[in-house]
């Protein structure tokens, strides 16, 4: 379709960065949000999981809805919903409005991610797809690295509402960029929800989704509770915590870049060994947990490995379900968001009933199972592809 639309890919990378920032900023602002809206910290924590719930629902429904409209208009509308959500969060008079606003954010997260791979496949030629996906995931890595430290920093200066208001001009700029750069992408054949879930009848897709859920669930069982681990086990101060999380996030750039370079040749090896390596580093954290410099090194390795996993799976999607990228994208995002919710929930149960050690061991166990399911990658390949 003409020359590759790199400007459009760039506008999507920017949208992804703002989305991730908006999704994860409350992690570092939980205390002031809870105090201000008269909620417990646990209730404020639900504000993160409610966006996940709506993201799962939207990612399954969006391929059916989007097939009736020009893709350009669907993406711009989703960005508009994100803007409305941020304004609602920043001005929320009570906890109920905050939950509604976070639900709207979930709609954009689910919708945008579900359509992302399929849209990129329409914007650039086949040989440029891994590079374009890498660019989008770099936006993801930037935001994941900076959202929590910047959120807590600005939250202290301009308040948590100010931190969310500060995101809105970026969304407006992104809307203008999308309007200017996204080409018209006429509707394609309809994709009902049944078709999305029907993909699970294909053995390679069923195995892949089990692998996806175990790797993301295992990672988030650990990631969600890194702060309590570092505070109780390593005994870090808040400035040390911010620096450690920044190091973990910054390492994500290296992981994303490294994965993008290796994907064309070694996709299945990455899908197999990345989760096992991440599980090993998780256990290493427990082993060296009382030594600050060793924990810092382990967290850098953790961040790099963790960032490489989503790039690998979205590249698998463009190969393993090449005939149905829209429905496949919806299914992949639903699996990931569901795994994040369940992984975080499982980690919390282990933390409350056993200990932070149990949480990390549980996460590492799920990651190891993911490696077993992927195996040598043969069962993830569609029968039609080599």
């Amino acid at each position: 379709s003409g020359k590759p639309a790199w400007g459009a890919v760039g506008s999507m990378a920017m949208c992804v960065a703002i989305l991730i920032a908006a999704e994860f900023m409350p992690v570092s602002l939980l205390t002031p949000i809870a105090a201000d809206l008269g909620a417990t910290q646990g209730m404020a924590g639900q504000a993160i999981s409610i966006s996940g719930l709506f993201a799962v629902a939207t990612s399954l429904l969006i391929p059916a809805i989007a097939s009736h409209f020009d893709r350009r208009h669907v993406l711009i509308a989703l960005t508009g919903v994100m803007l409305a959500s941020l304004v609602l969060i920043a001005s929320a008079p009570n906890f109920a409005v905050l939950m509604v606003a976070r639900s709207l954010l979930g709609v954009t997260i689910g919708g945008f991610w579900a359509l992302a791979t399929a849209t990129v496949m329409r914007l650039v030629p086949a040989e440029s797809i891994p590079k374009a996906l890498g660019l989008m995931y770099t936006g993801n890595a930037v935001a994941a690295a900076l959202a929590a430290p910047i959120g807590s920093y600005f939250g202290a200066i301009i308040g948590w509402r100010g931190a969310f208001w500060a995101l809105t001009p970026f969304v407006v700029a992104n809307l203008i960029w999308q309007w200017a750069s996204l080409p018209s992408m006429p509707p394609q054949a309809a994709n009902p929800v049944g078709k999305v879930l029907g993909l699970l009848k294909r053995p390679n897709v069923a195995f892949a989704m089990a692998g996806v859920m175990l790797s993301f669930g295992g990672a988030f069982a650990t990631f969600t509770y890194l702060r309590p681990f570092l505070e109780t086990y390593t005994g870090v101060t808040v400035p040390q915590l911010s620096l450690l999380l920044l190091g973990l996030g910054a390492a994500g750039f290296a992981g994303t870049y490294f994965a993008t370079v290796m994907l064309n040749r070694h996709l299945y090896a990455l899908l197999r060994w990345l989760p096992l390596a991440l599980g090993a580093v998780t256990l290493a954290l427990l082993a060296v947990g009382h030594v600050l410099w060793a924990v810092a090194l382990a967290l850098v390795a953790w961040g790099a490995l963790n960032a490489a996993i989503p790039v690998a799976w979205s590249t698998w999607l463009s190969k393993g379900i090449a005939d149905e990228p829209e429905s496949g994208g919806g299914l992949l995002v639903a699996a990931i968001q569901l795994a994040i919710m369940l992984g975080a929930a499982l980690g919390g149960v282990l933390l409350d009933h056993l200990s932070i050690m149990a949480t990390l061991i549980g996460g590492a166990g799920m990651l190891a199972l993911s490696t077993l399911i992927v195996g040598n990658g043969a069962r993830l390949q569609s029968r039609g592809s080599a």
Side-chain angles (χ1 to χ4, degrees):
S1 58
K3 61 184 200 305
W6 286 106
V9 175
S11 75
M12 290 180 66
M14 180 180 178
C15 189
V16 161
I18 304 170
L19 258 185
I20 298 290
E23 185 177 14
F24 292 124
M25 251 182 19
V27 174
S28 58
L29 298 170
L30 270 189
T31 320
I33 292 175
D36 199 24
L37 296 179
T40 66
Q41 288 195 32
M43 278 166 69
Q46 298 307 312
I48 294 167
S49 54
I50 185 116
S51 58
L53 185 66
F54 276 79
V56 171
T58 310
S59 56
L60 291 174
L61 296 170
I62 195 91
I65 299 163
S67 62
H68 299 293
F69 303 97
D70 185 328
R71 177 54 39 85
R72 164 189 157 87
H73 297 146
V74 177
L75 294 170
I76 290 170
L78 285 168
T79 309
V81 172
M82 168 163 65
L83 181 61
S85 149
L86 287 173
V87 170
L88 265 180
I89 291 173
S91 54
N94 56 41
F95 188 66
V97 174
L98 179 75
M99 292 298 267
V100 169
R102 293 293 297 180
S103 310
L104 284 176
L105 186 66
V107 168
T108 303
I109 293 166
F112 204 88
W113 277 118
L115 299 174
T117 299
T119 303
V120 164
M121 287 169 77
R122 290 173 73 172
L123 291 174
V124 299
E127 65 274 11
S128 302
I129 290 171
K131 185 179 162 193
L133 289 172
L135 182 68
M136 251 182 23
Y137 278 96
T138 303
N140 182 359
V142 172
L146 302 179
I150 287 182
S152 56
Y153 177 75
F154 279 109
I157 300 172
I158 52 178
W160 69 270
R161 292 177 189 277
F164 281 100
W165 278 124
L167 279 177
T168 54
F170 292 101
V171 184
V172 173
N174 188 228
L175 271 171
I176 296 167
W177 189 8
Q178 285 181 349
W179 189 262
S181 69
L182 282 172
S184 175
M185 289 173 271
Q188 294 176 316
N191 279 313
V193 181
K195 192 165 162 189
V196 177
L197 294 172
L199 288 172
L200 289 170
K201 295 195 187 107
R202 303 183 187 183
N204 73 311
V205 177
F207 276 115
M209 291 308 122
V212 164
M213 288 196 67
L214 285 165
S215 57
F216 279 85
F220 269 82
T222 302
F223 180 71
T224 312
Y225 303 100
L226 277 180
R227 182 169 182 164
F229 167 76
L230 293 168
E231 285 177 340
T232 58
Y233 208 83
T234 315
V236 299
T237 62
V238 173
Q240 285 173 335
L241 175 77
S242 298
L243 278 173
L244 287 171
L245 291 178
L246 191 60
L248 177 138
F253 292 110
T256 304
Y257 174 77
F258 181 68
T260 308
V261 171
M262 291 184 55
L263 274 173
N264 275 337
R265 293 236 180 105
H266 306 290
L267 175 63
Y268 295 104
L270 288 175
L271 289 172
R272 179 184 204 171
W273 299 117
L274 283 171
L276 192 67
L278 188 63
V281 173
T282 303
L283 295 179
L285 271 174
L286 285 173
V288 301
H290 300 299
V291 186
L292 186 61
W293 65 266
V295 166
L297 283 177
L299 285 175
V300 166
W302 205 96
L305 292 165
N306 186 51
I309 291 174
V311 194
W313 279 114
S314 76
T315 305
W316 169 84
L317 173 67
S318 69
K319 292 179 162 59
I321 321 182
D323 59 323
E324 292 287 351
E326 310 265 308
S327 302
L331 187 64
L332 181 67
V333 175
I336 289 171
Q337 289 287 340
L338 194 60
I340 288 173
M341 284 170 61
L342 295 175
L346 172 81
V349 169
L350 292 172
L351 177 64
D352 286 348
H353 294 285
L354 294 164
S355 67
I356 190 71
M357 276 183 76
T359 299
L360 268 63
I361 292 167
M366 287 166 79
L367 288 161
L369 280 176
S370 169
T371 292
L372 287 176
I373 282 184
V374 170
N376 64 6
R379 57 179 78 137
L380 300 187
Q381 298 180 40
S382 60
R383 299 226 154 73
S385 71

